[in-house]
PDB file of all heavy atoms in Angstrom:
ATOM      1  N   ALA A   1      -3.259   5.167 -14.891  1.00 94.00           N
ATOM      2  CA  ALA A   1      -2.630   5.723 -13.689  1.00 94.00           C
ATOM      3  C   ALA A   1      -3.271   5.163 -12.422  1.00 94.00           C
ATOM      4  O   ALA A   1      -2.579   4.832 -11.443  1.00 94.00           O
ATOM      5  CB  ALA A   1      -2.742   7.243 -13.708  1.00 94.00           C
ATOM      6  N   GLU A   2      -4.609   5.029 -12.434  1.00 95.00           N
ATOM      7  CA  GLU A   2      -5.311   4.496 -11.258  1.00 95.00           C
ATOM      8  C   GLU A   2      -4.980   3.015 -11.053  1.00 95.00           C
ATOM      9  O   GLU A   2      -4.822   2.561  -9.914  1.00 95.00           O
ATOM     10  CB  GLU A   2      -6.820   4.676 -11.424  1.00 95.00           C
ATOM     11  CG  GLU A   2      -7.271   6.132 -11.332  1.00 95.00           C
ATOM     12  CD  GLU A   2      -8.774   6.286 -11.492  1.00 95.00           C
ATOM     13  OE1 GLU A   2      -9.459   5.248 -11.652  1.00 95.00           O
ATOM     14  OE2 GLU A   2      -9.258   7.429 -11.464  1.00 95.00           O
ATOM     15  N   PHE A   3      -4.853   2.276 -12.155  1.00 95.00           N
ATOM     16  CA  PHE A   3      -4.523   0.852 -12.057  1.00 95.00           C
ATOM     17  C   PHE A   3      -3.127   0.667 -11.478  1.00 95.00           C
ATOM     18  O   PHE A   3      -2.903  -0.177 -10.600  1.00 95.00           O
ATOM     19  CB  PHE A   3      -4.628   0.210 -13.437  1.00 95.00           C
ATOM     20  CG  PHE A   3      -4.416  -1.276 -13.439  1.00 95.00           C
ATOM     21  CD1 PHE A   3      -5.091  -2.096 -12.543  1.00 95.00           C
ATOM     22  CD2 PHE A   3      -3.553  -1.868 -14.338  1.00 95.00           C
ATOM     23  CE1 PHE A   3      -4.902  -3.476 -12.540  1.00 95.00           C
ATOM     24  CE2 PHE A   3      -3.355  -3.233 -14.352  1.00 95.00           C
ATOM     25  CZ  PHE A   3      -4.031  -4.044 -13.447  1.00 95.00           C
ATOM     26  N   LYS A   4      -2.176   1.455 -11.943  1.00 96.00           N
ATOM     27  CA  LYS A   4      -0.811   1.378 -11.418  1.00 96.00           C
ATOM     28  C   LYS A   4      -0.785   1.707  -9.931  1.00 96.00           C
ATOM     29  O   LYS A   4      -0.142   1.012  -9.143  1.00 96.00           O
ATOM     30  CB  LYS A   4       0.098   2.339 -12.183  1.00 96.00           C
ATOM     31  CG  LYS A   4       1.534   2.345 -11.658  1.00 96.00           C
ATOM     32  CD  LYS A   4       2.425   3.278 -12.460  1.00 96.00           C
ATOM     33  CE  LYS A   4       3.850   3.247 -11.916  1.00 96.00           C
ATOM     34  NZ  LYS A   4       4.761   4.121 -12.699  1.00 96.00           N
ATOM     35  N   ALA A   5      -1.508   2.761  -9.549  1.00 96.00           N
ATOM     36  CA  ALA A   5      -1.541   3.162  -8.141  1.00 96.00           C
ATOM     37  C   ALA A   5      -2.171   2.084  -7.265  1.00 96.00           C
ATOM     38  O   ALA A   5      -1.702   1.811  -6.154  1.00 96.00           O
ATOM     39  CB  ALA A   5      -2.318   4.477  -7.987  1.00 96.00           C
ATOM     40  N   GLU A   6      -3.222   1.434  -7.775  1.00 97.00           N
ATOM     41  CA  GLU A   6      -3.893   0.385  -7.003  1.00 97.00           C
ATOM     42  C   GLU A   6      -3.006  -0.861  -6.909  1.00 97.00           C
ATOM     43  O   GLU A   6      -2.956  -1.507  -5.848  1.00 97.00           O
ATOM     44  CB  GLU A   6      -5.230   0.025  -7.646  1.00 97.00           C
ATOM     45  CG  GLU A   6      -6.050  -1.007  -6.882  1.00 97.00           C
ATOM     46  CD  GLU A   6      -6.480  -0.548  -5.494  1.00 97.00           C
ATOM     47  OE1 GLU A   6      -6.371   0.654  -5.191  1.00 97.00           O
ATOM     48  OE2 GLU A   6      -6.929  -1.410  -4.698  1.00 97.00           O
ATOM     49  N   LEU A   7      -2.312  -1.196  -7.970  1.00 96.00           N
ATOM     50  CA  LEU A   7      -1.370  -2.315  -7.926  1.00 96.00           C
ATOM     51  C   LEU A   7      -0.310  -2.064  -6.860  1.00 96.00           C
ATOM     52  O   LEU A   7      -0.017  -2.943  -6.040  1.00 96.00           O
ATOM     53  CB  LEU A   7      -0.691  -2.499  -9.286  1.00 96.00           C
ATOM     54  CG  LEU A   7      -1.437  -3.274 -10.368  1.00 96.00           C
ATOM     55  CD1 LEU A   7      -0.674  -3.199 -11.685  1.00 96.00           C
ATOM     56  CD2 LEU A   7      -1.645  -4.724  -9.964  1.00 96.00           C
ATOM     57  N   GLU A   8       0.254  -0.877  -6.865  1.00 94.00           N
ATOM     58  CA  GLU A   8       1.303  -0.538  -5.903  1.00 94.00           C
ATOM     59  C   GLU A   8       0.759  -0.557  -4.477  1.00 94.00           C
ATOM     60  O   GLU A   8       1.438  -1.001  -3.542  1.00 94.00           O
ATOM     61  CB  GLU A   8       1.905   0.823  -6.237  1.00 94.00           C
ATOM     62  CG  GLU A   8       2.694   0.823  -7.540  1.00 94.00           C
ATOM     63  CD  GLU A   8       3.162   2.201  -7.939  1.00 94.00           C
ATOM     64  OE1 GLU A   8       2.563   3.197  -7.464  1.00 94.00           O
ATOM     65  OE2 GLU A   8       4.116   2.303  -8.735  1.00 94.00           O
ATOM     66  N   ARG A   9      -0.476  -0.077  -4.286  1.00 95.00           N
ATOM     67  CA  ARG A   9      -1.082  -0.057  -2.950  1.00 95.00           C
ATOM     68  C   ARG A   9      -1.264  -1.481  -2.416  1.00 95.00           C
ATOM     69  O   ARG A   9      -0.905  -1.782  -1.272  1.00 95.00           O
ATOM     70  CB  ARG A   9      -2.429   0.659  -2.993  1.00 95.00           C
ATOM     71  CG  ARG A   9      -3.072   0.843  -1.605  1.00 95.00           C
ATOM     72  CD  ARG A   9      -4.521   1.279  -1.717  1.00 95.00           C
ATOM     73  NE  ARG A   9      -5.374   0.210  -2.223  1.00 95.00           N
ATOM     74  CZ  ARG A   9      -5.815  -0.799  -1.467  1.00 95.00           C
ATOM     75  NH1 ARG A   9      -5.477  -0.903  -0.191  1.00 95.00           N
ATOM     76  NH2 ARG A   9      -6.607  -1.724  -1.997  1.00 95.00           N
ATOM     77  N   ILE A  10      -1.823  -2.360  -3.265  1.00 96.00           N
ATOM     78  CA  ILE A  10      -2.066  -3.738  -2.838  1.00 96.00           C
ATOM     79  C   ILE A  10      -0.750  -4.472  -2.597  1.00 96.00           C
ATOM     80  O   ILE A  10      -0.615  -5.246  -1.650  1.00 96.00           O
ATOM     81  CB  ILE A  10      -2.907  -4.485  -3.882  1.00 96.00           C
ATOM     82  CG1 ILE A  10      -4.323  -3.884  -3.952  1.00 96.00           C
ATOM     83  CG2 ILE A  10      -2.995  -5.971  -3.549  1.00 96.00           C
ATOM     84  CD1 ILE A  10      -5.223  -4.530  -4.978  1.00 96.00           C
ATOM     85  N   MET A  11       0.234  -4.236  -3.468  1.00 94.00           N
ATOM     86  CA  MET A  11       1.527  -4.887  -3.300  1.00 94.00           C
ATOM     87  C   MET A  11       2.175  -4.491  -1.977  1.00 94.00           C
ATOM     88  O   MET A  11       2.769  -5.322  -1.282  1.00 94.00           O
ATOM     89  CB  MET A  11       2.445  -4.546  -4.476  1.00 94.00           C
ATOM     90  CG  MET A  11       1.982  -5.135  -5.800  1.00 94.00           C
ATOM     91  SD  MET A  11       2.944  -4.580  -7.225  1.00 94.00           S
ATOM     92  CE  MET A  11       4.441  -5.535  -7.009  1.00 94.00           C
ATOM     93  N   LYS A  12       2.047  -3.225  -1.617  1.00 92.00           N
ATOM     94  CA  LYS A  12       2.592  -2.763  -0.349  1.00 92.00           C
ATOM     95  C   LYS A  12       1.811  -3.347   0.820  1.00 92.00           C
ATOM     96  O   LYS A  12       2.390  -3.799   1.825  1.00 92.00           O
ATOM     97  CB  LYS A  12       2.553  -1.233  -0.288  1.00 92.00           C
ATOM     98  CG  LYS A  12       3.170  -0.659   0.983  1.00 92.00           C
ATOM     99  CD  LYS A  12       3.171   0.865   0.944  1.00 92.00           C
ATOM    100  CE  LYS A  12       3.801   1.431   2.213  1.00 92.00           C
ATOM    101  NZ  LYS A  12       3.821   2.913   2.186  1.00 92.00           N
ATOM    102  N   GLN A  13       0.489  -3.363   0.701  1.00 93.00           N
ATOM    103  CA  GLN A  13      -0.373  -3.886   1.762  1.00 93.00           C
ATOM    104  C   GLN A  13      -0.103  -5.365   2.012  1.00 93.00           C
ATOM    105  O   GLN A  13      -0.082  -5.823   3.163  1.00 93.00           O
ATOM    106  CB  GLN A  13      -1.836  -3.681   1.376  1.00 93.00           C
ATOM    107  CG  GLN A  13      -2.844  -4.195   2.396  1.00 93.00           C
ATOM    108  CD  GLN A  13      -4.266  -4.146   1.867  1.00 93.00           C
ATOM    109  OE1 GLN A  13      -4.615  -4.800   0.884  1.00 93.00           O
ATOM    110  NE2 GLN A  13      -5.102  -3.329   2.502  1.00 93.00           N
ATOM    111  N   ARG A  14       0.117  -6.123   0.945  1.00 91.00           N
ATOM    112  CA  ARG A  14       0.324  -7.567   1.061  1.00 91.00           C
ATOM    113  C   ARG A  14       1.810  -7.931   1.102  1.00 91.00           C
ATOM    114  O   ARG A  14       2.173  -9.089   0.985  1.00 91.00           O
ATOM    115  CB  ARG A  14      -0.391  -8.282  -0.092  1.00 91.00           C
ATOM    116  CG  ARG A  14      -1.886  -8.011  -0.069  1.00 91.00           C
ATOM    117  CD  ARG A  14      -2.645  -8.680  -1.211  1.00 91.00           C
ATOM    118  NE  ARG A  14      -4.023  -8.211  -1.204  1.00 91.00           N
ATOM    119  CZ  ARG A  14      -4.954  -8.567  -2.096  1.00 91.00           C
ATOM    120  NH1 ARG A  14      -4.638  -9.409  -3.076  1.00 91.00           N
ATOM    121  NH2 ARG A  14      -6.177  -8.091  -2.017  1.00 91.00           N
ATOM    122  N   GLN A  15       2.631  -6.905   1.227  1.00 88.00           N
ATOM    123  CA  GLN A  15       4.077  -7.081   1.356  1.00 88.00           C
ATOM    124  C   GLN A  15       4.674  -7.847   0.188  1.00 88.00           C
ATOM    125  O   GLN A  15       5.488  -8.756   0.341  1.00 88.00           O
ATOM    126  CB  GLN A  15       4.407  -7.771   2.688  1.00 88.00           C
ATOM    127  CG  GLN A  15       3.960  -6.966   3.897  1.00 88.00           C
ATOM    128  CD  GLN A  15       4.372  -7.586   5.220  1.00 88.00           C
ATOM    129  OE1 GLN A  15       4.576  -8.789   5.308  1.00 88.00           O
ATOM    130  NE2 GLN A  15       4.507  -6.776   6.247  1.00 88.00           N
ATOM    131  N   ILE A  16       4.268  -7.448  -1.015  1.00 87.00           N
ATOM    132  CA  ILE A  16       4.802  -8.041  -2.244  1.00 87.00           C
ATOM    133  C   ILE A  16       5.801  -7.048  -2.819  1.00 87.00           C
ATOM    134  O   ILE A  16       5.520  -6.371  -3.804  1.00 87.00           O
ATOM    135  CB  ILE A  16       3.677  -8.317  -3.268  1.00 87.00           C
ATOM    136  CG1 ILE A  16       2.546  -9.107  -2.618  1.00 87.00           C
ATOM    137  CG2 ILE A  16       4.218  -9.076  -4.473  1.00 87.00           C
ATOM    138  CD1 ILE A  16       1.313  -9.194  -3.479  1.00 87.00           C
ATOM    139  N   PHE A  17       6.945  -6.915  -2.179  1.00 73.00           N
ATOM    140  CA  PHE A  17       7.903  -5.945  -2.692  1.00 73.00           C
ATOM    141  C   PHE A  17       9.269  -6.542  -2.971  1.00 73.00           C
ATOM    142  O   PHE A  17       9.913  -6.196  -3.909  1.00 73.00           O
ATOM    143  CB  PHE A  17       8.056  -4.754  -1.749  1.00 73.00           C
ATOM    144  CG  PHE A  17       7.920  -5.067  -0.291  1.00 73.00           C
ATOM    145  CD1 PHE A  17       8.945  -5.690   0.407  1.00 73.00           C
ATOM    146  CD2 PHE A  17       6.766  -4.754   0.384  1.00 73.00           C
ATOM    147  CE1 PHE A  17       8.838  -5.966   1.747  1.00 73.00           C
ATOM    148  CE2 PHE A  17       6.644  -5.035   1.738  1.00 73.00           C
ATOM    149  CZ  PHE A  17       7.676  -5.642   2.423  1.00 73.00           C
ATOM    150  N   ALA A  18       9.725  -7.481  -2.171  1.00 67.00           N
ATOM    151  CA  ALA A  18      11.033  -8.125  -2.395  1.00 67.00           C
ATOM    152  C   ALA A  18      12.053  -7.077  -2.845  1.00 67.00           C
ATOM    153  O   ALA A  18      12.398  -6.182  -2.097  1.00 67.00           O
ATOM    154  CB  ALA A  18      10.906  -9.252  -3.406  1.00 67.00           C
ATOM    155  N   SER A  19      12.520  -7.179  -4.089  1.00 68.00           N
ATOM    156  CA  SER A  19      13.530  -6.239  -4.580  1.00 68.00           C
ATOM    157  C   SER A  19      12.916  -4.912  -5.020  1.00 68.00           C
ATOM    158  O   SER A  19      13.618  -3.920  -5.192  1.00 68.00           O
ATOM    159  CB  SER A  19      14.281  -6.853  -5.764  1.00 68.00           C
ATOM    160  OG  SER A  19      13.413  -7.026  -6.866  1.00 68.00           O
ATOM    161  N   GLY A  20      11.601  -4.890  -5.223  1.00 77.00           N
ATOM    162  CA  GLY A  20      10.947  -3.673  -5.696  1.00 77.00           C
ATOM    163  C   GLY A  20      10.910  -3.558  -7.208  1.00 77.00           C
ATOM    164  O   GLY A  20      10.290  -2.645  -7.759  1.00 77.00           O
ATOM    165  N   LYS A  21      11.556  -4.488  -7.902  1.00 85.00           N
ATOM    166  CA  LYS A  21      11.643  -4.406  -9.366  1.00 85.00           C
ATOM    167  C   LYS A  21      10.290  -4.613 -10.039  1.00 85.00           C
ATOM    168  O   LYS A  21      10.011  -4.007 -11.078  1.00 85.00           O
ATOM    169  CB  LYS A  21      12.646  -5.433  -9.880  1.00 85.00           C
ATOM    170  CG  LYS A  21      14.077  -5.144  -9.473  1.00 85.00           C
ATOM    171  CD  LYS A  21      15.029  -6.207  -9.996  1.00 85.00           C
ATOM    172  CE  LYS A  21      16.467  -5.911  -9.570  1.00 85.00           C
ATOM    173  NZ  LYS A  21      17.409  -6.961 -10.036  1.00 85.00           N
ATOM    174  N   LEU A  22       9.444  -5.467  -9.454  1.00 90.00           N
ATOM    175  CA  LEU A  22       8.140  -5.734 -10.065  1.00 90.00           C
ATOM    176  C   LEU A  22       7.280  -4.477 -10.046  1.00 90.00           C
ATOM    177  O   LEU A  22       6.669  -4.122 -11.057  1.00 90.00           O
ATOM    178  CB  LEU A  22       7.431  -6.872  -9.331  1.00 90.00           C
ATOM    179  CG  LEU A  22       6.080  -7.317  -9.904  1.00 90.00           C
ATOM    180  CD1 LEU A  22       6.244  -7.777 -11.347  1.00 90.00           C
ATOM    181  CD2 LEU A  22       5.480  -8.435  -9.067  1.00 90.00           C
ATOM    182  N   ALA A  23       7.234  -3.799  -8.907  1.00 91.00           N
ATOM    183  CA  ALA A  23       6.446  -2.565  -8.800  1.00 91.00           C
ATOM    184  C   ALA A  23       7.001  -1.478  -9.720  1.00 91.00           C
ATOM    185  O   ALA A  23       6.249  -0.741 -10.365  1.00 91.00           O
ATOM    186  CB  ALA A  23       6.427  -2.072  -7.357  1.00 91.00           C
ATOM    187  N   ASP A  24       8.323  -1.401  -9.807  1.00 92.00           N
ATOM    188  CA  ASP A  24       8.942  -0.385 -10.655  1.00 92.00           C
ATOM    189  C   ASP A  24       8.691  -0.636 -12.136  1.00 92.00           C
ATOM    190  O   ASP A  24       8.808   0.287 -12.949  1.00 92.00           O
ATOM    191  CB  ASP A  24      10.459  -0.346 -10.402  1.00 92.00           C
ATOM    192  CG  ASP A  24      10.807   0.190  -9.019  1.00 92.00           C
ATOM    193  OD1 ASP A  24       9.946   0.852  -8.406  1.00 92.00           O
ATOM    194  OD2 ASP A  24      11.939  -0.070  -8.560  1.00 92.00           O
ATOM    195  N   SER A  25       8.365  -1.871 -12.492  1.00 93.00           N
ATOM    196  CA  SER A  25       8.195  -2.218 -13.910  1.00 93.00           C
ATOM    197  C   SER A  25       6.809  -1.882 -14.451  1.00 93.00           C
ATOM    198  O   SER A  25       6.589  -1.945 -15.660  1.00 93.00           O
ATOM    199  CB  SER A  25       8.455  -3.716 -14.113  1.00 93.00           C
ATOM    200  OG  SER A  25       7.371  -4.503 -13.622  1.00 93.00           O
ATOM    201  N   ILE A  26       5.858  -1.522 -13.593  1.00 94.00           N
ATOM    202  CA  ILE A  26       4.487  -1.242 -14.042  1.00 94.00           C
ATOM    203  C   ILE A  26       4.470   0.013 -14.911  1.00 94.00           C
ATOM    204  O   ILE A  26       4.849   1.099 -14.472  1.00 94.00           O
ATOM    205  CB  ILE A  26       3.543  -1.039 -12.843  1.00 94.00           C
ATOM    206  CG1 ILE A  26       3.590  -2.254 -11.911  1.00 94.00           C
ATOM    207  CG2 ILE A  26       2.108  -0.795 -13.320  1.00 94.00           C
ATOM    208  CD1 ILE A  26       2.887  -2.016 -10.582  1.00 94.00           C
ATOM    209  N   ASN A  27       4.028  -0.129 -16.141  1.00 94.00           N
ATOM    210  CA  ASN A  27       4.053   1.003 -17.069  1.00 94.00           C
ATOM    211  C   ASN A  27       2.829   1.006 -17.977  1.00 94.00           C
ATOM    212  O   ASN A  27       2.765   0.253 -18.943  1.00 94.00           O
ATOM    213  CB  ASN A  27       5.330   0.952 -17.916  1.00 94.00           C
ATOM    214  CG  ASN A  27       5.474   2.167 -18.803  1.00 94.00           C
ATOM    215  OD1 ASN A  27       4.971   3.245 -18.500  1.00 94.00           O
ATOM    216  ND2 ASN A  27       6.174   1.999 -19.910  1.00 94.00           N
ATOM    217  N   PRO A  28       1.824   1.844 -17.676  1.00 93.00           N
ATOM    218  CA  PRO A  28       0.633   1.945 -18.537  1.00 93.00           C
ATOM    219  C   PRO A  28       0.949   2.801 -19.777  1.00 93.00           C
ATOM    220  O   PRO A  28       1.541   3.876 -19.657  1.00 93.00           O
ATOM    221  CB  PRO A  28      -0.399   2.654 -17.644  1.00 93.00           C
ATOM    222  CG  PRO A  28       0.219   2.685 -16.272  1.00 93.00           C
ATOM    223  CD  PRO A  28       1.689   2.650 -16.469  1.00 93.00           C
ATOM    224  N   ILE A  29       0.563   2.325 -20.952  1.00 90.00           N
ATOM    225  CA  ILE A  29       0.819   3.050 -22.200  1.00 90.00           C
ATOM    226  C   ILE A  29      -0.465   3.106 -23.022  1.00 90.00           C
ATOM    227  O   ILE A  29      -1.090   2.075 -23.271  1.00 90.00           O
ATOM    228  CB  ILE A  29       1.910   2.357 -23.031  1.00 90.00           C
ATOM    229  CG1 ILE A  29       3.202   2.214 -22.223  1.00 90.00           C
ATOM    230  CG2 ILE A  29       2.175   3.127 -24.322  1.00 90.00           C
ATOM    231  CD1 ILE A  29       4.239   1.345 -22.904  1.00 90.00           C
ATOM    232  N   VAL A  30      -0.857   4.309 -23.442  1.00 86.00           N
ATOM    233  CA  VAL A  30      -2.024   4.488 -24.311  1.00 86.00           C
ATOM    234  C   VAL A  30      -1.535   4.697 -25.735  1.00 86.00           C
ATOM    235  O   VAL A  30      -0.654   5.515 -25.982  1.00 86.00           O
ATOM    236  CB  VAL A  30      -2.874   5.696 -23.867  1.00 86.00           C
ATOM    237  CG1 VAL A  30      -4.046   5.904 -24.822  1.00 86.00           C
ATOM    238  CG2 VAL A  30      -3.388   5.493 -22.448  1.00 86.00           C
ATOM    239  N   ASP A  31      -2.077   3.928 -26.671  1.00 82.00           N
ATOM    240  CA  ASP A  31      -1.684   4.061 -28.078  1.00 82.00           C
ATOM    241  C   ASP A  31      -2.001   5.458 -28.598  1.00 82.00           C
ATOM    242  O   ASP A  31      -2.869   6.154 -28.065  1.00 82.00           O
ATOM    243  CB  ASP A  31      -2.404   3.019 -28.933  1.00 82.00           C
ATOM    244  CG  ASP A  31      -1.735   1.662 -28.851  1.00 82.00           C
ATOM    245  OD1 ASP A  31      -0.913   1.466 -27.935  1.00 82.00           O
ATOM    246  OD2 ASP A  31      -2.037   0.803 -29.686  1.00 82.00           O
ATOM    247  N   SER A  32      -1.320   5.848 -29.664  1.00 77.00           N
ATOM    248  CA  SER A  32      -1.477   7.194 -30.215  1.00 77.00           C
ATOM    249  C   SER A  32      -2.893   7.490 -30.682  1.00 77.00           C
ATOM    250  O   SER A  32      -3.330   8.641 -30.676  1.00 77.00           O
ATOM    251  CB  SER A  32      -0.503   7.391 -31.387  1.00 77.00           C
ATOM    252  OG  SER A  32      -0.725   6.418 -32.394  1.00 77.00           O
ATOM    253  N   ASP A  33      -3.643   6.435 -31.067  1.00 72.00           N
ATOM    254  CA  ASP A  33      -5.014   6.673 -31.517  1.00 72.00           C
ATOM    255  C   ASP A  33      -5.999   6.727 -30.352  1.00 72.00           C
ATOM    256  O   ASP A  33      -7.200   6.965 -30.547  1.00 72.00           O
ATOM    257  CB  ASP A  33      -5.456   5.605 -32.517  1.00 72.00           C
ATOM    258  CG  ASP A  33      -5.437   4.195 -31.927  1.00 72.00           C
ATOM    259  OD1 ASP A  33      -5.160   4.058 -30.718  1.00 72.00           O
ATOM    260  OD2 ASP A  33      -5.699   3.241 -32.676  1.00 72.00           O
ATOM    261  N   GLY A  34      -5.484   6.517 -29.137  1.00 71.00           N
ATOM    262  CA  GLY A  34      -6.325   6.629 -27.940  1.00 71.00           C
ATOM    263  C   GLY A  34      -7.325   5.516 -27.764  1.00 71.00           C
ATOM    264  O   GLY A  34      -8.295   5.661 -27.012  1.00 71.00           O
ATOM    265  N   LYS A  35      -7.104   4.378 -28.425  1.00 72.00           N
ATOM    266  CA  LYS A  35      -8.101   3.306 -28.382  1.00 72.00           C
ATOM    267  C   LYS A  35      -7.638   2.062 -27.614  1.00 72.00           C
ATOM    268  O   LYS A  35      -8.415   1.140 -27.426  1.00 72.00           O
ATOM    269  CB  LYS A  35      -8.479   2.899 -29.806  1.00 72.00           C
ATOM    270  CG  LYS A  35      -9.192   4.007 -30.578  1.00 72.00           C
ATOM    271  CD  LYS A  35      -9.566   3.538 -31.974  1.00 72.00           C
ATOM    272  CE  LYS A  35     -10.302   4.634 -32.735  1.00 72.00           C
ATOM    273  NZ  LYS A  35     -10.664   4.197 -34.114  1.00 72.00           N
ATOM    274  N   LYS A  36      -6.374   2.041 -27.205  1.00 80.00           N
ATOM    275  CA  LYS A  36      -5.877   0.839 -26.528  1.00 80.00           C
ATOM    276  C   LYS A  36      -4.949   1.200 -25.381  1.00 80.00           C
ATOM    277  O   LYS A  36      -4.051   2.038 -25.535  1.00 80.00           O
ATOM    278  CB  LYS A  36      -5.162  -0.083 -27.513  1.00 80.00           C
ATOM    279  CG  LYS A  36      -4.651  -1.372 -26.874  1.00 80.00           C
ATOM    280  CD  LYS A  36      -4.160  -2.372 -27.909  1.00 80.00           C
ATOM    281  CE  LYS A  36      -2.911  -1.904 -28.596  1.00 80.00           C
ATOM    282  NZ  LYS A  36      -2.367  -2.928 -29.527  1.00 80.00           N
TER     283      LYS A  36
END
C-alpha cells in the first residue's frame, strides 16, 4: 500500500499521468502464504 501511494505521489509530482492508465494499473498482491 505504501509503495503504491509513493508511486502515485511521485507520478503526480513529476507529471507522469497522461491518460492515467499507468497509475490506475498499480496493484500490490500478497500471496496466500504471506511470503511474497
Side-chain angles (χ1 to χ4, degrees):
E2 290 180 1
F3 185 49
K4 178 178 181 178
E6 183 63 13
L7 278 173
E8 292 174 339
R9 186 192 70 79
I10 293 179
M11 293 173 75
K12 183 177 181 180
Q13 180 188 62
R14 300 179 188 178
Q15 299 184 335
I16 309 169
F17 34 76
S19 66
K21 293 179 180 178
L22 183 59
D24 291 341
S25 74
I26 304 169
N27 185 27
I29 303 171
V30 177
D31 280 15
S32 58
D33 61 4
K35 295 181 179 179
K36 181 170 68 175

